[in-house]
Amino acid sequence: MTPAEAKNKIAALRAEVARHAELYYRRATPEIPDQDYDRLERELADLEKEFPEFAVKESPTVRVGDDRLDGFSTYRHRQRMQSLDNTYSEAELREFHQRLVKLFARDELAYVIEPKIDGLAVSVTYEKGKLTRAVTRGNGEEGDDVTANVMTIRTLPHELTAGGTYPVPDLIEIRGEIYLTLAEFQRINLAREEAGEALYANPRNLAAGTLKQLDSREVAQRKLEIVLYGVGFCEPPAADTQNHYHELVKQWNLPTLERYWKAVGIDEVWAAVQELDRLRHAFAYATDGAVVKLDDFRLQREAGSTSKAPRWAIAYKFPAERAETRINAISVQVGRTGVLTPVAELEPVLLAGTTVARATLHNQDEIARKDIRIGDYVLVEKAGEIIPAVIEVNLKRRAPECVAYKLPAQCPVCGTPTIQLEEEVATRCPNVNCPAQVRRRLGHFVAKACLDIDGIGSAMIDELVDKGWVKELPDLYKLRRDDLLTLGKSVEKSTDNLLAAIEASKGRELWRLIHGLGIPHVGVAAAKDLATHFREIEKLAAAKMEDFIATKQVVIAGIGETMARAIVGYFNEPRNRAMVTALLELGVKPQAPTAKVTSSSVFVGKTFVLTGTLPTMTREEAGEKVEAAGGKVSGSVSKKTSYVLAGAEAGSKLEKAQQLGVPVIDEAEFVRLLAAGNENSVS
Ligand code: IVH
């Protein structure tokens, strides 16, 4: 390669790496598998080594990606959060050990081998044993303050348990990984599929997207988990080896790794890595490798770090499981809002322990980008991913008669010509009466998180739509007992149960109806906010943009501009307004929230006094939360005060509370009370 070529290649690679880092760290929607990203990074690093004259002297932080987003306040780590060098090769793992052998002039180095959990890094601070802060890695120097969201994690204690032999340090920044179990990932995706919403490709993206939600109530509904695997900063120092640290973590009652290994010398390390690979598929979380760490903290310090990563640790990544198979056909699914999703029907192939026969191809752009054609042999991957992805086409095996694939110009279900809106990648069937859309809409409407009508499964929906009895949602309330009794398996009892369930759904909470309408972007939390604010469906239907957004200011917490546009757009459509009117005329009578309470009424009848500086919110914000949950805020402490919420440098009010025996809580406890209330609330 000539220097001129190298210069161009380096610039191109750097742009490419930066684009994928943005998609991965900030947006949690990567376009390429981790392995391909690692390869790009490696290629760039190698070229920069060969042509150092073109290497840009970036600040080290550029190298670790940056996950910070607008809407969060940033917080500076006391100790920088680094990333890890990684490798897919045993030889390179051995070289890592050899470098350390040379450095310390001895062979018998002790290591700890841990699973590499596929989640996102977080730093959790405990001050005098109390959980005070949680921050994402950000750019390594400073990250997003996600304390309120992390406090919704049930397994993370808000106070460390002091063990006799292991006193709790004054201040400790503990590093760990936030993740979703595979089971929780599947639960959420299944619910999204039922609702015709886009699926998340893997638990890591879903965990990252969840942690970065601005609304902790939304976060509490998805069960995030955490595991702690390292010390960032600790005063006074508590452990002197990684092994010792793991013991401390257990002693303090923090969530720990379910397995880790000790090893001396590289052969034992390699044996442990292989054992981990055998066992990891049974773990509750997705793992993508092994992290090998020098055990002794003193040796760690001596080994030091490069700009990106420590020299005393390395990640050995397990190759993603891939297989080649043929695309026999491409089928097209029509979603609730008419979006056409192409799905590859594959020659079944065994991959990571399961048989894979289908893979989503997302949309026309994605098919064009990878030039995927019917009859092609393609590489299918299932890494931490549950949903298999088509990675690339094996062009060497392409038959000459294969032609480029285009999504149908007509809806495969109702035949209406499809459209593609300018600002969208999705191709849509514009016919709102398309049976496929009606089926999906109905499925969503009756789902648990909407009108919760028991007894209408997908087979029943198909029958209702195929018979032409349900063409739009209000038809559900016009179903006749005699008709239902003619359905093959129907017996009187189940028909009566079904009719009773439909009848009961008329009086459900307003938010359920709002959610059930299937307005794009409006999920459960937003539906609850809208119900609280508008209190009547007619008022919501009549709302204008300025009722949501006033001169760029959000009027209703939790409802931003995109959602506001979607809502206004939805009710601007005469057909949708007519449908809501029809529902009401048929006796649907949604219940407005009882009190003016946003999410829970845990604090009804409770009086709070706020004092001192809270770690993550202002006293005003805390006061708003108290009032939103039905409580009152008072300026002075008396025997009637229910709680004193105290932050740093709280003065006389704290003393008074202690004299009177009024419970004093910190922000962590406060957030826990709120979250606990949300969980129990019927809302
Ligand atoms: S140690 C300086 N241990 O992998 C040491 N990281 O690719 C930094 N990760 O940023 C991390 N499991 O988010 C460590 N057992 C483990 C891990 C782990 C997962 C993540 C972590 C880190 C990334 C580096």
Side-chain angles (χ1 to χ4, degrees):
M1 196 181 287
T2 67
E5 282 166 351
K7 188 177 176 189
N8 287 340
K9 181 83 189 164
I10 286 175
L13 275 171
R14 184 171 299 118
E16 185 78 352
V17 167
R19 191 171 81 82
H20 291 298
E22 164 83 15
L23 286 170
Y24 181 88
Y25 289 108
R26 227 193 279 265
R27 297 179 197 268
T29 51
E31 278 176 8
I32 56 172
D34 290 4
Q35 204 163 336
D36 294 1
Y37 178 78
D38 291 337
R39 200 175 303 125
L40 282 175
E41 260 202 327
R42 176 64 71 97
E43 206 184 324
L44 175 60
D46 288 350
L47 262 183
E48 285 186 336
K49 212 181 266 168
E50 199 182 332
F51 297 93
E53 64 273 34
F54 304 128
V56 174
K57 294 268 168 301
E58 288 160 324
S59 80
T61 57
V62 174
R63 284 286 189 230
V64 300
D66 190 349
D67 64 50
R68 288 171 305 164
L69 290 177
D70 286 345
F72 289 91
S73 46
T74 50
Y75 185 80
R76 182 161 283 270
H77 304 296
R78 282 188 180 78
Q79 173 81 39
R80 201 147 71 81
M81 276 182 89
Q82 289 188 299
S83 182
L84 288 173
D85 273 334
N86 61 50
T87 178
Y88 289 86
S89 107
E90 181 189 343
E92 284 184 2
L93 182 62
R94 288 180 181 274
E95 282 166 25
F96 156 79
H97 169 66
Q98 284 312 323
R99 282 194 296 277
L100 293 173
V101 166
K102 212 163 132 201
L103 180 67
F104 297 117
R106 65 173 143 119
D107 234 6
E108 302 285 276
L109 292 168
Y111 295 96
V112 170
I113 295 93
E114 301 169 1
K116 183 165 165 15
I117 300 132
D118 199 13
L120 61 150
V122 69
S123 177
V124 182
T125 304
Y126 285 86
E127 289 176 55
K128 302 230 180 303
K130 291 229 158 84
L131 171 58
T132 51
R133 201 178 292 278
V135 185
T136 66
R137 186 171 66 191
N139 65 0
E141 304 276 355
E142 51 181 35
D144 279 345
D145 189 323
V146 287
T147 311
N149 290 350
V150 168
M151 282 184 172
T152 67
I153 301 178
R154 294 162 187 77
T155 50
L156 184 69
H158 290 186
E159 197 157 347
L160 298 181
T161 310
T165 36
Y166 302 120
V168 166
D170 289 341
L171 195 149
I172 185 166
E173 268 187 15
I174 311 184
R175 304 287 156 77
E177 199 83 354
I178 301 234
Y179 66 92
L180 280 172
T181 61
L182 297 171
E184 179 68 354
F185 169 73
Q186 258 160 335
R187 182 190 71 77
I188 295 167
N189 252 356
L190 214 66
R192 291 182 71 85
E193 191 172 47
E194 266 174 26
E197 290 167 335
L199 302 189
Y200 290 98
N202 60 49
R204 191 258 165 208
N205 296 344
L206 180 50
T210 302
L211 187 67
K212 290 299 186 85
Q213 290 258 359
L214 290 170
D215 185 344
S216 313
R217 289 172 301 159
E218 275 285 289
V219 180
Q221 289 174 17
R222 295 179 182 169
K223 291 201 190 76
L224 285 177
E225 303 275 349
I226 190 169
V227 59
L228 296 152
Y229 51 60
V231 205
F233 176 92
C234 188
E235 190 51 49
D240 45 24
T241 64
Q242 182 67 9
N243 253 308
H244 184 191
Y245 160 76
H246 280 303
E247 283 167 31
L248 287 181
V249 166
K250 204 172 288 164
Q251 184 89 36
W252 291 332
N253 224 3
L254 293 169
T256 51
L257 293 166
E258 54 185 284
R259 273 299 295 266
Y260 63 93
W261 287 258
K262 302 171 193 176
V264 175
I266 194 64
D267 291 330
E268 281 185 27
V269 167
W270 182 242
V273 168
Q274 286 176 304
E275 187 177 4
L276 167 61
D277 195 15
R278 280 196 299 277
L279 297 181
R280 69 195 181 101
H281 293 295
F283 291 175
Y285 39 72
T287 49
D288 59 349
V291 183
V292 180
K293 299 175 178 174
L294 206 50
D295 187 33
D296 189 329
F297 286 173
R298 194 173 50 82
L299 296 188
Q300 288 187 2
R301 278 190 294 275
E302 270 179 51
S305 304
T306 65
S307 61
K308 174 193 167 193
R311 288 197 188 83
W312 47 264
I314 192 166
Y316 172 82
K317 295 237 228 164
F318 300 118
E321 295 191 53
R322 294 177 164 193
E324 193 167 290
T325 189
R326 185 171 178 275
I327 297 187
N328 290 332
I330 295 179
S331 61
V332 177
Q333 291 179 347
V334 183
R336 187 176 83 210
T337 55
V339 174
L340 268 55
T341 305
V343 177
E345 303 291 344
L346 305 165
E347 189 58 41
V349 61
L350 196 66
L351 198 56
T354 51
T355 304
V356 173
R358 309 183 83 205
T360 171
L361 299 174
H362 304 288
N363 52 51
Q364 181 69 60
D365 278 12
E366 192 70 6
I367 293 179
R369 200 165 62 79
K370 294 181 180 155
D371 187 21
I372 294 168
R373 306 180 181 190
I374 296 170
D376 270 343
Y377 283 86
V378 291
L379 205 56
V380 184
E381 177 181 299
K382 220 173 148 212
E385 284 94 321
I386 315 285
I387 303 174
V390 172
I391 304 299
E392 63 185 16
V393 175
N394 180 354
L395 289 174
K396 289 198 199 102
R397 293 184 76 181
R398 172 170 284 171
E401 67 274 14
C402 273
V403 289
Y405 177 83
K406 262 200 91 51
L407 271 173
Q410 271 111 31
C411 171
V413 179
C414 70
T416 306
T418 57
I419 55 164
Q420 182 160 21
L421 300 178
E422 221 170 89
E423 69 277 15
E424 287 192 338
V425 285
T427 305
R428 287 175 188 273
C429 162
N431 172 18
V432 289
N433 295 323
C434 168
Q437 290 187 44
V438 175
R439 260 184 227 125
R440 294 287 192 131
R441 275 204 298 278
L442 193 57
H444 176 71
F445 191 75
V446 304
K448 270 232 157 334
C450 299
L451 276 287
D452 191 13
I453 306 182
D454 238 9
I456 306 193
S458 59
M460 171 69 92
I461 289 175
D462 286 350
E463 290 203 85
L464 297 178
V465 176
D466 291 347
K467 291 256 189 268
W469 295 339
V470 177
K471 293 203 180 71
E472 49 179 349
L473 299 178
D475 295 338
L476 195 60
Y477 295 99
K478 296 183 198 159
L479 287 174
R480 294 166 22 143
R481 186 169 185 274
D482 290 349
D483 284 340
L484 288 172
L485 280 172
T486 64
L487 291 179
K489 327 172 266 308
S490 280
V491 283
E492 293 207 0
K493 191 163 182 304
S494 62
T495 302
D496 289 338
N497 286 346
L498 175 60
L499 287 168
I502 294 175
E503 191 59 29
S505 75
K506 290 179 176 173
R508 296 257 195 274
E509 301 96 320
L510 175 58
W511 69 263
R512 292 181 174 276
L513 176 64
I514 297 174
H515 186 220
L517 294 178
I519 306 168
H521 304 290
V522 176
V524 171
K528 288 183 180 174
D529 289 337
L530 292 167
T532 306
H533 187 85
F534 288 99
R535 308 185 64 74
E536 287 171 31
I537 190 83
E538 297 93 327
K539 292 207 172 117
L540 172 65
K544 309 249 169 351
M545 241 356 236
E546 54 270 29
D547 296 320
F548 297 97
I549 312 282
T551 54
K552 294 234 165 277
Q553 259 206 313
V554 172
V555 176
I556 310 164
I559 312 291
E561 193 170 334
T562 315
M563 212 189 288
R565 254 181 230 300
I567 297 164
V568 173
Y570 179 89
F571 288 110
N572 268 345
E573 173 68 43
R575 214 194 293 252
N576 291 335
R577 288 174 85 127
M579 186 183 70
V580 170
T581 309
L583 284 171
L584 299 180
E585 280 171 6
L586 285 159
V588 174
K589 211 168 178 239
Q591 301 302 304
T594 38
K596 220 176 175 328
V597 163
T598 43
S599 52
S600 79
S601 46
V602 257
F603 295 161
V604 167
K606 302 255 187 305
T607 308
F608 281 71
V609 174
L610 316 176
T611 176
T613 311
L614 301 174
T616 75
M617 52 181 110
T618 62
R619 282 203 297 277
E620 286 68 20
E621 283 165 349
E624 281 167 18
K625 286 187 202 288
V626 169
E627 283 165 3
K632 285 206 187 72
V633 179
S634 156
S636 57
V637 182
S638 75
K639 268 206 237 136
K640 292 209 184 104
T641 309
S642 316
Y643 293 104
V644 170
L645 170 56
E649 278 146 40
S652 59
K653 289 179 189 168
L654 179 57
E655 275 170 34
K656 181 105 186 259
Q658 281 157 348
Q659 279 167 15
L660 294 174
V662 171
V664 177
I665 57 171
D666 64 357
E667 185 187 296
E669 182 65 18
F670 175 65
V671 172
R672 205 187 56 73
L673 284 177
L674 265 179
N678 283 328
E679 216 171 281
N680 302 332
S681 72
V682 235
S683 32

